[in-house]
Amino acid sequence: MNNQRLMRTYTEEEAYLKLTALCATAEHCPQEMADKMQRWGIGEEAQQRIIDRLIEGKYIDEERYCRAFVRDKIDYSKWGRRKIEQALFVKRIPKAIQQQVLGEVDDETYVEILRPLLTSKRRSIRADNSYEMNGKLIRFAMQRGFTMDIIRRCIDDADEYEPQDD
């Protein structure tokens, strides 16, 4: 066999039933379902019919998925708004839904997440002065997807309580 694994092909109904079982256990978005069906070799028209049935049956709902995704990424992954937006873009969640759900998360939530991350990171960073330290902390926070205004607030707060060694 020329380096290809044999893949089982599914009928439209088998794929639908398999996806309903998957959606019953966790939230999924239409893009994830389409990607999975693509790997199964299901045609685009059949994919759209299956996705329409999943939406109609309330197995998938973009807004519900977006809420769960945002909550998980904030609570467990400790991501900031920008990184969450990028991930939702990749999952093709409509911008209007993204904005609505992310708009419900207030800045204080991000501050409460970032502040302990920066405190912990500060202990593990080597820097010759506070300027270098803050630069490294800012880069760290930006990689986590936090906005500059939230980062600045957390760093300024930490600087107030940090003993100055100048």
Side-chain angles (χ1 to χ4, degrees):
M1 256 187 259
N2 59 358
N3 228 6
Q4 284 184 334
R5 292 184 0 208
L6 288 176
M7 269 185 27
R8 182 182 179 323
T9 55
Y10 296 100
T11 65
E12 191 171 324
E13 190 60 25
E14 287 173 331
Y16 173 74
L17 292 173
K18 198 165 173 63
L19 293 175
T20 58
L22 186 67
C23 290
T25 61
E27 288 294 336
H28 294 281
C29 67
Q31 186 60 44
E32 291 172 341
M33 299 293 99
D35 292 345
K36 194 167 281 299
M37 288 186 283
Q38 179 104 32
R39 286 192 302 273
W40 293 344
I42 294 174
E44 285 187 31
E45 288 179 15
Q47 286 181 31
Q48 192 55 55
R49 284 193 300 271
I50 292 170
I51 288 174
D52 289 345
R53 283 179 70 190
L54 290 170
I55 291 170
E56 205 173 284
K58 302 274 189 232
Y59 287 100
I60 55 178
D61 178 300
E62 287 178 322
E63 186 175 336
R64 190 177 66 213
Y65 172 81
C66 188
R67 285 183 194 292
F69 185 87
V70 168
R71 187 174 46 253
D72 283 355
K73 294 305 173 191
I74 288 173
D75 292 347
Y76 300 112
S77 300
K78 309 294 185 206
W79 284 6
R81 181 183 177 99
R82 298 289 169 243
K83 192 164 184 172
I84 294 170
E85 284 175 341
Q86 290 172 338
L88 290 171
F89 175 79
V90 168
K91 293 180 178 292
R92 297 186 182 166
I93 300 299
K95 194 87 170 146
I97 293 174
Q98 289 182 39
Q99 296 304 330
Q100 177 190 343
V101 173
L102 287 167
E104 294 168 2
V105 180
D106 66 337
D107 286 354
E108 278 310 306
T109 302
Y110 293 116
V111 168
E112 288 170 17
I113 288 166
L114 183 57
R115 193 173 283 138
L117 286 174
L118 290 177
T119 301
S120 175
K121 187 68 176 175
R122 187 181 292 265
R123 287 190 216 112
S124 68
I125 292 178
R126 289 191 188 275
D128 294 333
N129 53 48
S130 63
Y131 180 79
E132 185 181 343
M133 172 68 76
N134 287 346
K136 289 180 178 186
L137 291 172
I138 288 169
R139 281 191 296 282
F140 166 76
M142 290 187 90
Q143 288 172 342
R144 303 289 302 232
F146 291 93
T147 56
M148 198 59 205
D149 59 321
I150 300 294
I151 296 169
R152 202 31 66 214
R153 275 178 60 187
C154 292
I155 287 178
D156 289 348
D157 289 352
D159 285 345
E160 286 178 23
Y161 303 111
E162 192 77 13
Q164 296 299 317
D165 53 11
D166 295 328

